[in-house]
């Protein structure tokens, strides 16, 4: 199939981009790695495609006291290269699971959040890290917490005319460690299930734990019931306890529940006992 016809704008300033986005039926083109397919299959029929790739100042990857800020044009590949700090290390661990190299060279972190695919790895990361999504339109700015962002399968809190200008991943608590585990059918497929873990220990027991999963529902989920159960568990038992408890606290049963349980255990092992997970 070919896309339905649309107008195309390639603004060279943020103001121009926001004015174009204010038009009826306008959509953002960032990396194009999801949008172009949706155009071709006519899942989206925009009147105007606003390509933001020439807008300066959207490709920043900046760490400050607030956390790590990722601008709208930060590509998946930029995160694969890693950097200092726990959050950058987690992003570098996850990035190779996002599609494959040519897609990672163009696709963007903010584009993944804007698209809101239920199995997208970055969306699970955003939930685990309590991300803040900063939106900008011709009429103003607003910020949405990661927990309120995902509204369903490829549905988010974004409104027409809004650009996801940047996403901020707040600093993790001192002493936190992180882990990630995923199962996918082929190297380039989306995850069947992926789990992100953040753990803080005190006296060898879990003081705080966050588990978020992609692929289990129409949006990424925080496994809050399991998190609550794991608080106070000894570091040596936490992974196996997550394996045992997770299925009872999911709305899904069968294959996906079994995968989620195993991956929660592995993500926690990566966070706490990396030597247990050899490869
Ligand atoms: C073969 C293949 C395999 C893939 N595998 C995976 C995978 O394993 N895991 C994974 O997570 N993804 C996967 N993807 C998707 C890929 O990661 C995309 O790059 C990503 O989902 C969207 O980012 P993008 O920058 O390409 O967005 P685009 O394709 O440009 O846009 C996607 C949607 O988001 C909107 N949008 C994008 N950026 C913004 C913004 N800043 N503000 C407002 N709206 C915006 C667009 O209007 C559009 O509706 C795969 C894609 C392909 C083609």
């Amino acid at each position: 199939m070919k896309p339905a016809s649309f107008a195309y704008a390639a603004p060279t300033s943020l103001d121009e981009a926001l004015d174009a986005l204010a038009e009826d039926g306008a959509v953002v083109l960032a990396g194009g790695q999801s949008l172009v397919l949706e155009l071709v299959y006519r899942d989206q029929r925009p009147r105007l495609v606003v390509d933001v790739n020439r807008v300066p100042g959207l490709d920043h990857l900046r760490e400050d006291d607030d956390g790590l800020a990722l601008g709208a044009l930060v590509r998946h590949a930029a995160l694969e290269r890693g950097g200092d700090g726990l959050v950058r290390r987690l992003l570098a661990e996850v990035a190779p699971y996002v599609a494959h190299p040519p897609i990672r060279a163009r696709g963007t972190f903010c584009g993944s959040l804007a698209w809101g695919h239920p199995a997208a790895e970055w969306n699970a990361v955003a939930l685990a890290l309590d991300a803040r999504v900063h939106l900008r339109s011709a009429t103003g700015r607003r910020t949405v917490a990661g927990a309120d962002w995902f509204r369903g399968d490829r549905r988010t809190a974004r409104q027409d005319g809004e650009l996801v200008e940047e996403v901020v991943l707040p600093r993790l608590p001192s002493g936190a460690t992180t882990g990630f585990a995923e199962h996918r059918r082929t190297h380039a497929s989306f995850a069947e299930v992926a789990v992100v873990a953040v753990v803080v220990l005190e006296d060898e027991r879990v003081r705080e734990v966050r588990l978020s999963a992609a692929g289990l529902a129409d949006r990424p989920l925080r496994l809050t019931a399991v998190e609550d159960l794991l608080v106070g568990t000894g570091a040596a038992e936490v992974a196996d306890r997550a394996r045992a408890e997770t299925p009872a606290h999911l709305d899904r049963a069968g294959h996906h529940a079994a995968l989620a349980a195993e991956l929660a255990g592995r993500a926690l092992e990566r966070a706490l006992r990396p030597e247990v997970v050899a490869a």
Side-chain angles (χ1 to χ4, degrees), residues 115-204:
W115 193 43
H117 193 284
E121 289 84 359
W122 294 141
N123 297 343
V125 168
L127 265 193
L129 269 49
D130 292 333
R132 294 188 297 272
V133 181
H134 293 280
L135 296 150
R136 183 97 175 251
S137 70
T139 54
R141 301 165 188 258
R142 68 188 181 109
T143 300
V144 178
D148 299 325
W149 177 250
F150 301 103
R151 299 286 168 92
D153 185 352
R154 282 162 281 177
R155 286 196 302 112
T156 69
R158 195 185 80 86
Q159 290 169 0
D160 288 348
E162 287 183 320
L163 174 76
V164 175
E165 187 182 16
E166 91 177 3
V167 171
V168 174
L169 302 175
R171 279 176 186 275
L172 285 165
S174 133
T177 56
T178 62
F180 176 75
E182 167 167 320
H183 178 75
R184 52 190 170 169
R185 284 185 190 277
T186 71
H187 195 61
S189 339
F190 273 87
E192 270 199 274
V193 179
V195 177
V196 179
V198 177
V199 193
V200 185
L201 294 182
E202 189 172 282
D203 298 330
E204 284 304 298

Side-chain angles (χ1 to χ4, degrees), residues 43-80:
D43 292 336
Q44 290 203 48
R45 292 167 175 246
R47 288 171 59 176
L48 171 63
V49 170
V50 182
D51 179 348
V52 295
N53 283 279
R54 290 178 208 168
V55 175
L58 290 179
D59 60 353
H60 58 279
L61 191 50
R62 191 175 50 234
E63 178 109 48
D64 59 24
D65 289 347
D66 243 14
L68 182 69
L70 301 103
L73 290 178
V74 172
R75 317 280 171 187
H76 308 314
L79 304 174
E80 203 172 352

